[in-house]
């Protein structure tokens, strides 16, 4: 979405259907025109209630209510409704969210960006955060300051480090995303099938959206070419988790096309896969377009020969709501031309209003969430959780023993770099107004030390040394140098991908000269996408390197608490830190995950990358040491086949599985005892990777199949991580996208530098446990500029070269 | 320069040498410590005066005064001085310029961007504009609000349409740039060798700088590979015009390296070529670094093994001033290490202070410009000239006869598009505070018509249709549609090159639907770099297309006056409008101007492009028709060789040329009679192109060798353009960069679709008329990421992959 521009346009947008800005009032089921309609009968089935309501709408009223700014139906007492709210990591500024300029409702809790919360590898934390967000969202709604549906989360896997919006995601791993989002939706929606949904979440962007603007390829016209194998293995597990396993209320289709078809007009994607295969068929579940991805079906995708045809194709494919006005403008003509019939329109509206019914929109004070108010926003608990989420995610990449470092009030600290006094920077994108924003500089001052601040160089864009001369004297006087810099939303941004994953020359020059003083020095690498910190890792004069992501409202305090040991680091990189040259080895347009000798691609993510990362996925140091062992209950002899060996018959596993979706059947719970063998209390995230030789070559390096964060292991203590592996986690996708259990050898590894390993085998014949629906043969290719990347040609485009 | 960041840093910058922000006072030669020093003797030679001053400085004081924020020498009464002022198209916001928040000196005249003024092809206009700019600059200086030197103009040829700063230049043609800048410097400096310079101009960026950030190539680390032939023919003529022919006061070296050597550390470029070959050796002439191109000599160029060595290399190469603090920080260490001796430092300081002396810095009220004040800013004449400059540049690309269009007060006009109500947008970049900013919407309102404004789509980044619904009703009610959009500084910008030269899908969708109403419709294509308007050219429902560039403070009025015929268009495209696919045919990193079958490059600029442009260089329609004929004085029989034929002996031409620089010798003045054969009075710019078969193949398509704008030719009237061709304009560069007169056939064409043609031949032996100094063999290559473009590899970089 183009959030900033859309905000600017909102004043006009309300007028678009002659209704002014939605007043966010609720329908009056006590005295309004609908009071005797079934929609106001709280005992009736939500679907019946919605049908009863929509049956009262004229065709024109139905057509009017297909956009994100819906006028409602005044004659029926159905108020206007703004569907577009954002809440990526807290209630966020967006067309439907209205922060007060001061006093009550002038701010909301601002948690870290998902990329840093992903680093916590702590689903319970995510559930708690999401619960706070939905509580605050409901409070805003009750004050008429927000709607009830929110267009979050962004769960496209962080495929390429250049992606400007990767910061919005939990990281690069599909299992991690699936597990994370399952907890998140529980917290946002108030359970997986509550009577009243707390809010409606929207999993986006379905599917294959993970590029903004790269070398002439723009998200609005990009056609992502993705194999069914990669689609199943990598690009869609998070959406399966949302739709099939978490009962999410909404899904957003994308700007890009997928294998030739704009996703919002793709009956296979929105029908065969999403609704039919994943069973996402509750009446309350709807698909919204991205803003305004319906327009770009016509241009630049040129997927329809007329504008009404583009709108009709989207509606028929199953896009129920248009973020924008393309439906409202063009569906009437399409309807007049007979391009769709009224029942399709009814279905879209029934889905929308069923969703509002499940949110209690028509039910007045019967909805328990109606009592939430300003006192439920920014509570002490919420503040503490925002701090905790930052601490849990912050990741220690390098430590020569300097950390933890006791800071006394007679010390002097030089805080240098573009992030030194970060405020809004700490929120990344899609943020709201925070109650406070505590920078590293602020936090250093709280320690009672003398702190010298120099915010140079000013990020990645600025090489000017105008203020550098003032730095050196203060560095001379300091006992500790904290260099806080990296990237931020000036270089990784919606609409803008990066073209470098290196620190700049000016940054490295500053870092190098600071290091030459030989003083204790800590570098804070900030921002979502990684930058290659090899020059820092290799510099012996730099004691420690910490990745801080976008740590949110209390991020500076969290960072300093980790430096001083008030908190112990246990975050893990949720993405690969590639060497800087990686981005020259694979164009961003190459969607393949696997390495490819023919193109020279070294592969993507820790699962397939054939090079040596600077820091690998899952890397994260602690202030203590841990050992791990599979507990007796997990020993090879006590589980597996009926013979008691570590060998398992595939046919037995499948035969004993009675789930409709066989990949959900439990294979085994592995209990892993984790002992803190050092002297400092610390969390520990047990990451379990599967590797081995099974199925066709090439094999992935390894793949995450389970994780669990253990909290506050005191020195010497042991805690047990219960790790569930399903049949799905053993399976791999074949080239048709089917999930297959393959006979062969398997090894389960605990941690990136394994602390424990357990081997087992599967025997018998390979078996499909999930039959992937096959798309129709491509009959159409959208017009693209640089399909294929660096060496490719500029496609023919009749409209660009012809006439409009 | 990174202007915005640097402005933010300015507050600190002043403190960098312990002096606070410069107070811009003048030295006190009446009562100050220097009153008896030769520097205060207005009768003495400027060089002697500067030497006398510098002889009083200690080494430390000299080292302190090597940066753009110079502290001066308080003990001597030498005040601090800020060297960094900007005035690209009017006195502009910059570190040394201080606009008042209100009242006097709260604004200055804001002319169109150079790319639009270039389209006027009117050197006298440029001289007048520059004279106003320097007058206003002096007024600001007299009020303590600006220094006396300005870092303008930008004369790198607009080589590639993607370049974000091409808007700052007069266009793509080297002859045009050379002629334009010769007039500009006259206006800025108050003559070519005045007793007191009005201001000092700075020709930038020397040389090969014309890329910001493209596909991982950044200006700070880019190594431009340019042949000596292209360097002579294309990249340096403008600088030769500045240094050799216009006595410019300052030259700025670049961020990029040139053939392996960072330009600010290149003794060949700054010494052999600039100073020795071009004779730019007055004591008052100095070279400044770009901000902070000295830092990037160290990193990322890695051209020196230590920071002091990087600084010393720059000083020794002839960079006299550092925009930044790298000299102030590192030259002391370099001096202590013996990397340079004091005489080199003296030379740099003598150049700086000689320049100030020539500006009258020490001469009090003896300087005539001291009387200029606020009443000389934004005069009626200046306002009229800003309007005139816009009118002269605005270029009519398409007209089916609709224009000029009389607008009556009972008409309704729909003004649509992101530029409809443009304000600061109209100034482009490097702008100051304008007295007013008249948008197309404002101008349409002044006509007395009813005007409906809809600023959608919002430029190139926004596809959202939120406000589109409100457009159509107003279009229905309108008698004329003006669609004003294109690009602006959100996509073409310092630090950011474009990755598309097409209108976006959303823009084309809007244009196409507007055109479908079948009403009179005019498209204003705004912005500096071209976008491919073929879809508009080909749409029969769109009557007219006008290119408006960045038209400055009165740009909207100028545009509407041309639409209504109050003014007649006579602008010419100063650059090629390529088809959109052009940018996929040649990577931005390919600096070669000539087409190359081995790389597939179709060549650059109208001189060499082998494809068919959408609109060619020099294209521009009028409201009338013109005919041209060579007047009798130019007929073949009356000039040329002694035999009276149209044949000329090269040896005679050279033998009769007694200039030190033989390319400056006049070949012939051609007088061309231009008649307005239509019914509407109009300006006409006579563009003279040379073509023919002479010298080695391949031949350029043609090349501009003279131009002259004729003003206000009434219907039926004739006016004569006197076009001077020099020996230089006949010559071509050989592969060593020498200028050579070749025997062969020549044809002189008047206009792009020639209205007249004249043939002549050169006979005899080829002769070198300018012997290009040869650079040393490359011994070093800076580390680059994507040298060579699309298919290239990521270079080794010990610092990126190693340690800092």
């Amino acid at each position: 979405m183009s959030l900033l521009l859309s905000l600017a346009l909102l004043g006009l947008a309300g007028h678009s259907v002659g209704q002014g800005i939605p007043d966010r009032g609720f329908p009056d089921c006590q005295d309004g025109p609908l009071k005797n309609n079934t929609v106001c009968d709280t005992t009736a089935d939500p679907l019946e209630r919605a049908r009863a309501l929509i049956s009262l709408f004229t065709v024109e009223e139905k057509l009017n209510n297909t956009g994100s700014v819906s006028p409602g139906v005044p004659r029926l007492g159905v108020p206007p409704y703004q569907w577009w709210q954002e809440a990526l990591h807290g209630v966020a500024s967006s067309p439907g969210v209205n922060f007060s300029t001061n006093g009550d409702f002038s701010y909301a809790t601002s948690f870290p960006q998902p990329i840093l919360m992903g680093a916590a590898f702590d689903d319970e934390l995510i559930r708690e955060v999401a619960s706070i967000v939905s509580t605050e969202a409901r409070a805003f709604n009750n004050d008429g300051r927000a709607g009830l549906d929110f267009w979050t989360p962004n769960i496209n896997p962080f495929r390429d480090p250049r992606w400007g919006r990767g910061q919005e995601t939990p990281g690069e791993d599909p299992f991690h995303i699936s597990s994370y989002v399952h907890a998140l939706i529980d917290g946002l929606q108030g359970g997986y099938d509550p009577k009243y949904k707390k809010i409606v979440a929207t999993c986006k962007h379905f599917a294959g959206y993970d590029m903004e603007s790269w070398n002439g390829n723009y998200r609005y016209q990009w056609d992502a070419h993705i194999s069914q194998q990669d689609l199943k293995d990598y690009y869609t597990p998070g959406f399966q988790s949302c739709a099939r396993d978490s009962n999410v209320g909404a899904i957003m289709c994308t700007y890009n096309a997928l294998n030739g078809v704009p996703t919002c007009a793709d009956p296979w994607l929105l029908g065969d896969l999403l609704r039919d295969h994943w069973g996402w068929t509750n009446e309350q579940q709807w698909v919204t377009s991205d803003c305004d991805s319906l327009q770009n079906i016509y241009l630049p995708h040129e997927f329809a020969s007329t504008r009404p045809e583009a709108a009709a194709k989207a509606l028929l494919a199953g896009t129920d709501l248009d973020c924008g006005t393309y439906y409202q403008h063009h569906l009437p003509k399409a309807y007049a031309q007979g391009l769709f019939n009224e029942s399709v329109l009814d279905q879209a509206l029934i889905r929308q209003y069923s969703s509002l019914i499940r949110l209690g929109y028509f039910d007045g004070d019967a909805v328990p969430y109606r009592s939430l108010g300003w006192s439920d926003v920014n509570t002490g608990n919420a503040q503490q959780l925002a701090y905790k989420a930052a601490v849990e995610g912050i990741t220690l990449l390098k430590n020569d023993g300097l950390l933890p470092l006791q800071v006394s009030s007679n010390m002097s600290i030089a805080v240098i770099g573009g992030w030194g006094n970060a405020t809004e920077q700490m929120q990344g994108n899609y943020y709201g107004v925070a109650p406070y924003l505590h920078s590293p500089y602020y936090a250093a001052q709280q320690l009672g030390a003398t702190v010298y601040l120099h915010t140079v160089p000013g990020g990645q864009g600025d090489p000017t040394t105008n203020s550098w001369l003032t730095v050196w004297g203060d560095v001379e006087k300091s006992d500790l140098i904290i260099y806080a810099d990296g990237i931020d939303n000036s270089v990784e941004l919606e609409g803008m991908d990066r073209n470098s994953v290196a620190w700049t020359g000016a940054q490295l020059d500053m870092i190098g000269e600071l290091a030459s003083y030989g003083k204790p020095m800590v570098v804070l690498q900030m921002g979502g996408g990684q930058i290659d910190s090899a020059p820092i890792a290799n510099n012996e004069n730099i004691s420690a390197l910490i990745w801080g992501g976008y740590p949110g409202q209390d991020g500076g305090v969290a960072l300093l608490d980790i430096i001083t040991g008030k908190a112990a680091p246990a975050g893990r990189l949720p993405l690969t830190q590639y060497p800087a040259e990686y981005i020259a080895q694979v164009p961003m347009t190459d969607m393949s995950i696997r390495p490819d000798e023919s193109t020279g691609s070294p592969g993507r993510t820790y699962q397939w990358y054939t090079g040596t990362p600077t820091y690998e996925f899952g890397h994260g140091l602690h202030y203590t040491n841990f050992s791990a062992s599979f507990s007796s209950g997990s020993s090879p002899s006590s589980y597996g086949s009926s013979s008691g060996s570590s060998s398992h018959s595939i046919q037995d596993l499948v035969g004993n599985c009675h789930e409709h979706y066989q990949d959900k059947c439990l294979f085994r719970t592995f209990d892993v005892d984790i002992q803190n063998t050092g002297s400092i209390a610390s969390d520990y995230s047990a990451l379990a990777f599967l590797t081995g030789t099974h199925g066709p070559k090439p094999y992935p390096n390894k793949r995450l199949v389970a994780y669990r964060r253990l909290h506050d292991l005191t020195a010497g203590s042991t805690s047990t991580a219960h790790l569930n592996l399903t049949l799905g986690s053993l399976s791999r996708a074949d080239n048709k996208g089917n999930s297959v259990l393959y006979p062969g050898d398997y090894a389960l590894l605990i941690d990136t530098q394994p602390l424990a390993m357990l081997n087992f085998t599967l025997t018998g014949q390979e078996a499909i446990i999930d039959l992937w629906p096959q798309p129709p043969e491509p009959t159409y290719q959208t017009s693209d500029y640089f399909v294929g990347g660096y060496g490719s040609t500029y496609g023919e485009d009749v409209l660009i070269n012809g006439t409009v």
Side-chain angles (χ1 to χ4, degrees), chain A:
Chain A
M1 276 146 276
S2 293
L3 185 56
L4 293 178
L5 269 163
S6 299
L7 285 172
L9 296 172
L10 182 61
L12 284 171
H15 294 288
S16 62
V17 285
Q19 295 295 328
I21 296 177
D23 63 6
R24 298 194 188 82
F26 296 104
D28 181 356
C29 273
Q30 298 302 312
D31 304 310
L34 294 169
K35 64 182 175 183
N36 296 321
N37 185 280
T38 303
V39 75
C40 282
D41 178 0
T42 61
T43 66
D45 175 77
L47 175 58
E48 292 310 311
R49 295 173 67 182
R51 280 188 179 147
L53 175 68
I54 301 308
S55 71
L56 302 178
F57 286 23
T58 66
V59 172
E60 187 183 0
E61 286 164 346
K62 291 173 188 173
L63 293 167
N64 275 348
N65 283 284
T66 52
S68 49
V69 179
S70 276
V73 183
R75 70 178 177 88
L76 297 175
V78 178
Y81 185 76
Q82 165 61 265
W83 288 92
W84 184 357
Q85 279 77 217
E86 300 286 350
L88 179 63
H89 49 117
V91 175
S93 301
S94 45
V97 172
N98 175 23
F99 282 93
S100 172
T101 51
N102 53 55
D104 291 359
F105 293 101
S106 61
Y107 48 82
T109 308
S110 189
F111 294 96
Q113 275 283 56
I115 193 66
L116 192 71
M117 292 200 289
F121 286 91
D122 184 354
D123 290 350
E124 290 311 310
L125 172 77
I126 301 310
R127 185 175 275 107
E128 288 178 56
V129 166
S131 180
I132 298 285
V133 170
S134 56
T135 293
E136 298 193 355
R138 269 286 179 176
F140 271 70
N141 173 258
N142 289 331
D143 201 54
R145 297 183 169 279
L148 288 162
D149 71 290
F150 288 78
W151 293 357
T152 194
N154 180 348
I155 56 163
N156 297 107
F158 200 161
R159 168 182 64 96
D160 190 295
R162 287 165 280 200
W163 187 28
R165 298 184 70 179
Q167 60 181 302
E168 301 175 25
T169 77
E172 74 182 26
D173 183 72
F175 173 82
H176 179 211
I177 292 167
S178 302
S179 186
Y180 175 108
V181 77
H182 187 61
L184 184 89
I185 290 171
D186 187 25
L188 290 178
Q189 298 198 157
Y192 294 115
D193 192 22
K195 172 174 166 55
Y196 287 115
K197 280 187 175 156
K198 200 170 174 189
I199 63 172
V200 159
T202 308
C203 289
K204 65 188 185 189
H205 313 78
F206 187 58
Y209 170 59
D210 55 15
M211 185 180 66
E212 305 296 304
S213 168
W214 181 82
N215 194 20
N217 297 278
Y218 295 91
R219 56 181 180 167
Y220 306 126
Q221 64 195 43
W222 168 237
D223 179 14
H225 292 195
I226 303 176
S227 71
Q228 297 304 308
Q229 187 176 44
D230 282 346
L231 210 52
K232 173 58 184 279
D233 254 2
Y234 190 70
Y235 290 96
T236 62
F239 294 97
Q240 175 179 289
S241 176
C242 286
R244 192 189 77 173
D245 302 332
S246 310
N247 195 24
V248 76
I251 297 277
M252 179 181 286
C253 52
T254 69
Y255 293 120
N256 61 280
L258 173 63
N259 296 328
V261 185
T263 63
C264 297
D266 188 344
W268 174 79
L269 189 72
L270 303 184
D272 297 12
L273 179 61
L274 172 62
R275 289 189 163 103
D276 297 344
H277 187 63
W278 289 339
W280 195 64
T281 51
N282 288 345
E283 76 292 343
Q284 70 203 262
Q285 292 166 330
W286 43 275
V287 171
T288 182
S289 77
D290 205 339
C291 312
D292 194 78
S293 56
L294 300 193
Q295 186 281 316
N296 71 26
I297 292 171
Y298 179 65
L299 270 176
H301 281 309
E302 302 175 42
F303 191 70
S305 55
T306 69
R307 297 171 180 86
E309 186 192 344
K313 277 188 165 180
L315 187 69
L316 289 165
T319 300
D320 304 302
L321 181 72
D322 170 25
C323 178
T325 61
Y326 225 67
Y327 269 172
Q328 291 161 331
H329 186 41
H330 295 294
L331 279 185
K333 280 169 272 183
Y335 183 69
Q337 293 169 19
L339 297 182
F340 65 91
N341 62 44
E342 195 171 348
S343 65
V344 183
L345 188 60
D346 288 348
Q347 183 183 53
L349 285 162
I350 287 167
R351 285 171 177 161
Q352 293 178 30
Y353 278 94
S354 295
S355 180
L356 289 174
I357 289 163
R358 286 296 299 266
L359 285 156
Y361 189 60
F362 291 84
D363 293 5
D365 293 339
V367 184
Y369 301 120
R370 283 286 172 90
S371 63
L372 293 170
W374 176 240
S375 63
D376 299 296
V377 177
N378 186 40
T379 62
N381 181 42
Q383 291 185 17
Q384 182 56 30
L385 192 64
Y387 165 82
K388 180 185 173 192
V391 163
E392 285 203 14
I394 291 166
T395 303
L396 182 63
L397 299 177
K398 172 186 178 178
N399 184 16
D400 68 3
L402 177 74
L403 303 188
L405 176 76
Q406 191 147 11
V407 172
S408 61
S409 60
N410 60 0
M411 279 177 69
S412 293
I413 305 175
V415 175
I416 315 289
W419 269 81
N421 200 21
T423 54
E424 278 83 0
Q425 260 177 309
M426 295 201 300
Q427 299 179 279
N429 65 357
Y430 283 92
Y431 57 86
V433 183
Y436 46 77
L437 290 164
H438 291 154
S439 70
Y441 174 59
Y442 166 90
Q445 289 179 307
Q446 304 314 302
L447 301 174
T450 302
V451 186
Y452 303 106
L453 173 70
H454 296 275
T455 57
V456 292
Q460 287 239 323
D462 179 30
T464 57
T465 62
N466 305 43
S467 300
W468 286 26
L469 281 188
T470 60
V471 172
W472 318 119
D474 287 342
V475 169
E476 287 281 9
K477 291 184 281 183
S478 296
D479 306 300
L480 169 67
I481 301 168
I482 298 176
Y483 181 77
D485 212 329
I487 58 175
D488 60 22
N489 277 230
S490 65
V491 294
E492 61 170 349
L493 177 68
E494 180 162 8
M496 188 168 81
D497 299 313
R498 286 189 293 160
N499 277 308
S500 166
V501 294
W503 294 83
T504 68
Q507 288 176 322
L508 290 177
D509 189 1
M510 174 59 74
I511 292 169
E513 187 158 357
L514 290 173
S516 72
Y517 285 81
K519 302 195 173 200
M521 178 169 169
V522 179
V523 173
L524 306 180
Q525 178 204 317
M526 305 301 292
Q530 293 296 299
I531 42 179
D532 180 6
S533 285
I536 295 160
N538 295 341
N539 190 315
E540 292 182 358
N541 273 0
I542 301 173
S543 297
L545 173 65
I546 293 171
W547 174 62
Y550 295 97
Q553 66 185 35
D554 224 2
V557 174
L559 285 161
L560 267 291
D561 281 358
I562 281 178
I563 289 172
T564 62
K566 184 174 172 189
R572 304 299 191 99
L573 275 186
L575 70 178
T576 303
Q577 184 176 114
Y578 296 96
E581 62 266 29
Y582 177 74
I583 61 169
Q585 296 167 349
V586 55
M588 206 169 169
T589 45
D590 180 349
M591 301 293 285
S592 178
I593 303 303
R594 289 159 175 76
D596 186 337
E597 285 186 10
S598 72
T599 64
S601 167
R604 298 181 173 286
T605 84
Y606 75 95
Q607 291 197 32
W608 292 102
Y609 178 51
T610 52
T612 303
T614 298
Y615 290 110
E616 66 182 320
F617 175 92
H619 176 71
L621 303 175
H622 303 86
Y623 287 160
T624 185
N625 295 310
F626 292 96
S627 67
S629 58
F630 287 91
S631 66
S632 56
S634 299
S635 67
S637 61
S638 67
Y639 74 97
S641 69
S642 55
S643 70
S645 81
S646 64
S647 180
H648 309 262
S649 153
I650 288 171
Q651 277 59 47
D652 285 353
L653 290 172
V654 172
N656 292 329
C657 170
H658 305 296
E659 293 264 10
H660 175 68
Y661 296 108
Q662 288 190 307
D663 59 291
K664 296 173 74 171
C665 277
L666 184 68
F667 168 61
R668 190 79 192 179
T669 298
F670 294 88
D671 297 328
V672 183
D673 296 329
I674 305 294
Q675 184 176 16
N676 182 344
T677 60
S679 57
I680 294 179
S682 174
D683 286 7
Y684 177 83
S685 284
L687 307 184
F689 296 95
L690 199 63
T691 183
T693 53
H694 48 269
K697 291 182 180 178
Y699 307 122
N701 301 318
K702 59 183 177 181
R703 46 201 170 110
L704 188 72
V705 290
Y707 63 84
R708 178 79 59 179
R709 186 167 180 127
L710 303 174
H711 289 274
D712 203 26
L713 272 74
T714 53
S717 72
T718 297
S719 185
T720 302
H722 308 286
L723 303 172
N724 291 331
L725 266 64
T726 62
L727 295 190
S729 49
L730 304 185
S731 73
R732 294 174 58 194
D734 68 14
N735 59 15
K736 288 185 169 177
N738 303 311
S739 294
V740 182
L741 284 182
Y742 290 105
D745 295 327
Y746 293 74
L748 190 64
L749 310 174
I750 304 301
D751 218 326
T752 54
Q753 302 296 314
L755 301 177
M757 182 171 79
L758 190 150
N759 297 299
F760 59 90
T761 60
L762 298 195
T763 60
Q765 296 301 307
E766 65 183 54
I768 292 176
I769 58 171
D770 183 48
L771 193 64
W772 185 250
Q774 294 303 298
E777 286 297 308
T779 58
Y780 174 87
Q781 294 287 317
T782 63
S783 60
D784 297 306
Y785 284 28
F786 289 103
V787 175
Y790 293 118
S792 60
T793 56
Y794 190 97
E796 287 300 311
D797 189 326
V798 291
L799 278 150
I800 298 297
N801 293 320
T803 180
V804 292

